[in-house]
Each structure stands twice: as structure tokens, then as C-alpha cells.
């Protein structure tokens, strides 16, 4: 996934001369999608560090305002700010908060906000050069199709649950600043198939909590042990289950155009486990 992010987003961004040579414009943005807690927001933050460009992170839920007209003004202001800080990556997190299919948004205030966003993405009457849009959602199928037309958020990247190697690395990073004794990271990674990054973070938190509570009780601090992790593991359920169910339906019944081929492949593999 890092490789694909590099190819479709970072490399063209870093090489303006090559862009010019191949006549590739940087219009349009990249939409990260996938199950909750698997690192979309985390990844976007990492992109900021990677680029050395200014980075503007907004959750779209925060842009929406109950007062008629205010949400559009917020969106316009956001893009103005992004253009002022160019070169700049504008990260629109939780895109589904606004980009809901227009047929779903009965509230007409919401519709004008979507239109404002479309206008800004098209750069009508303004210059979007040097503003790169990255967006994220758990539910791309609820995102207004108009937002995903060419020149807008036209590229997608599926962010999947961590594989074994990634799980081991995530566990290691979450244990790194804690007092631990003989934790079998490789073994744990093997037994946590299906857990998201957020689930793994929660697992480590719960194990730490068990050790903490006992230390409070006995009055002397002790290490976090493998037994604590095993106890914690009994209560951790994969949180992506409901998402998988929805995604399965989309992959089966709403993939005529092939836009969810990557998702369908993941779902088939997931089903075989
Ligand atoms: N690649 C990763 N490395 C370390 N921690 C991760 C990683 N992916 C997810 N996490 C953990 O899961 C949490 C949720 O990830 P997040 O990016 O918010 O998920 P999403 O935006 O896809 O719902 C993070 O705060 C972090 O604790
Ligand atoms: Mg997120």
C-alpha cells in the first residue's frame, strides 16, 4: 500500500519537472478507503511528514454547520487557506460526513455544501495549483458520485487490515514505551488475524491496564506479562465485522463498473479464512 501511495500520489508531487514532461496534471485527489481503525488517518498524517509540504487536516464533520450558508462558507474558507499555504496537502477526513449521495441528503443545506465542495475541487474561478487533496472514508459507496468524477477525487486506495508482519510492527510500537517481560510478538501477531490497528492498540491498552490494576492492589509495580495479554485477548473482538458485511454486499451487487475489484478480491480472501 505504501508503494501504491508513492506511485499515485507522492512521486508526482515530488517531481514537478517530470510532471511537466509527461503532461500529467495534478488535478484531482486520492481517496483512501477501508474498514475503520486500519490506519487511514494515521497514514495521512505520515504523508505530511514524508512530504515536507504544509498539511491541513480537517474532519468534514467539523466543517458542517447547522446554520444555513455557514457550511459553504467554511468549505470556501478551507480551500482559501489551503491555496494560501501552497504547496499544501489538504486532508479531508471522514468525507462521508458531507459527500453522502445527494439523493440521501434531503436537507437542502447539505446539497449546497456538496456543490461548494465540487466547485472548489474543480478550482473554478481560482487556482488549485499546488493544492493536493487527500481524502478518507470508511464508506466510499455513500460518497456522492459527483465527488468521484475525473479531475476530482478520482483515484482510490484501499487501506486493508494489517497483515501478520504489519501486526507485529504495530504491536511492537505500542509495547515500546511500556514495561514488558517476555512478550512473544511474533506469536501474538500470528494469533491476531482479523484485528485492526485500533483493535491491536486496544489489546495492548487492556493488557497494560491489568498489570496496572494489580500493581495498585499489591502496592508494587510489576511488568506486563504474556499472561496479561492472553487475558486481554479473550475480550477483544475484531471490530471490522459489520464493515465487512456491508462491503461484501457492495462487492457482490454494486461493482458493475469494476471500481471495487480490489475490495472484492479482499472479501473473497477474507471469506476463505
Ligand atoms: N500502521 C499503524 N501503525 C501503528 N498504529 C496503527 C497503525 N494503523 C492503525 N494504528 C492504530 O489504530 C488507530 C486507529 O487508526 P486510524 O488511522 O485512526 O484508523 P482509520 O482512520 O482508518 O479509522 C491509530 O490511532 C493507531 O493507534
Ligand atoms: Mg480516521
Amino acid at each position: 500500500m505504501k508503494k501504491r501511495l508513492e506511485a499515485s500520489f507522492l512521486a508526482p508531487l515530488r517531481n514537478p519537472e517530470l510532471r511537466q514532461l509527461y503532461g500529467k496534471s495534478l488535478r484531482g485527489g486520492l481517496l483512501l478507503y477501508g474498514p475503520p481503525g486500519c490506519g487511514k488517518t494515521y497514514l495521512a498524517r505520515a504523508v505530511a511528514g514524508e512530504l515536507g509540504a504544509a498539511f491541513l487536516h480537517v474532519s468534514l464533520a467539523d466543517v458542517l454547520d447547522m446554520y444555513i450558508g455557514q457550511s459553504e462558507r467554511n468549505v470556501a474558507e478551507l480551500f482559501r487557506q489551503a491555496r494560501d499555504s501552497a504547496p499544501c496537502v489538504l486532508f479531508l477526513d471522514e468525507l462521508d460526513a458531507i459527500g453522502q449521495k445527494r439523493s440521501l441528503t434531503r436537507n437542502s443545506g447539505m446539497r449546497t455544501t456538496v456543490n461548494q465542495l465540487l466547485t472548489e475541487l474543480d478550482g473554478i474561478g481560482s487556482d488549485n495549483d499546488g493544492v493536493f487533496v487527500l481524502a478518507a472514508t470508511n464508506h466510499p459507496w455513500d460518497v456522492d458520485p459527483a465527488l468521484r468524477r475525473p479531475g476530482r477525487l478520482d483515484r482510490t486506495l484501499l487501506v486493508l487490515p494489517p497483515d501478520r508482519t504489519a501486526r507485529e510492527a504495530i504491536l511492537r510500537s505500542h509495547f515500546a514505551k511500556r514495561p514488558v517481560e517476555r512478550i512473544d510478538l511474533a506469536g501474538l501477531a500470528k494469533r491476531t488475524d482479523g484485528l485492526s490497528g485500533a483493535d491491536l492498540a486496544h489489546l495492548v491498552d487492556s493488557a497494560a491496564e491489568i498489570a496496572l490494576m494489580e500493581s495498585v492492589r499489591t502496592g508494587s509495580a510489576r511488568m506486563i506479562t504474556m499472561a496479561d495479554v492472553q487475558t486481554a485477548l479473550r475480550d477483544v473482538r475484531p471490530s471490522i465485522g459489520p464493515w465487512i458485511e456491508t462491503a461484501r454486499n457492495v462487492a457482490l451487487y454494486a461493482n458493475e463498473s469494476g471500481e471495487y475489484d480490489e475490495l472484492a478480491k479482499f472479501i473473497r480472501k477474507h471469506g476463505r479464512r
Side-chain angles (χ1 to χ4, degrees), residues 79-98:
F79 276 78
R80 195 193 57 69
Q81 216 180 321
R83 282 189 295 270
D84 280 356
S85 356
C88 164
V89 173
L90 175 56
F91 177 45
L92 307 174
D93 207 354
E94 291 159 53
L95 186 70
D96 43 301
I98 185 189

Side-chain angles (χ1 to χ4, degrees), residues 178-201:
R178 294 174 151 125
V180 293
E181 189 177 87
R182 282 199 302 272
I183 299 286
D184 173 17
L185 288 176
L188 262 182
K190 212 179 211 166
R191 288 170 47 202
T192 45
D193 191 18
L195 295 193
S196 69
D199 293 338
L200 293 170

Side-chain angles (χ1 to χ4, degrees), residues 4 8-9 12 24-33 92 95 118 121-122 132-136 140 143-158 257-260 262:
R4 296 203 30 217
S8 67
F9 196 71
K24 182 166 170 33
S25 86
L26 258 184
R27 294 204 38 193
L30 179 71
L31 177 63
L32 304 173
Y33 79 98
L92 307 174
L95 186 70
L118 293 173
L121 284 173
D122 290 344
F132 310 110
V133 182
L134 196 59
V143 170
D144 190 321
L147 280 169
R148 300 186 50 193
R149 296 231 177 88
R152 294 168 182 166
L153 297 166
D154 49 5
R155 283 159 293 159
T156 54
L157 185 60
L158 176 58
S257 63
E259 64 176 324
Y260 292 116
E262 210 187 350

Side-chain angles (χ1 to χ4, degrees), residues 113-134:
T113 312
V114 172
N115 288 337
Q116 182 69 42
L117 188 55
L118 293 173
T119 308
E120 295 291 349
L121 284 173
D122 290 344
I124 293 169
S126 58
D127 184 13
N128 269 0
D129 209 27
V131 177
F132 310 110
V133 182
L134 196 59

Side-chain angles (χ1 to χ4, degrees), residues 35-42 170 173-174 197-198 201:
C38 290
K40 294 182 294 299
T41 302
Y42 200 85
I170 292 172
S173 95
H174 286 290

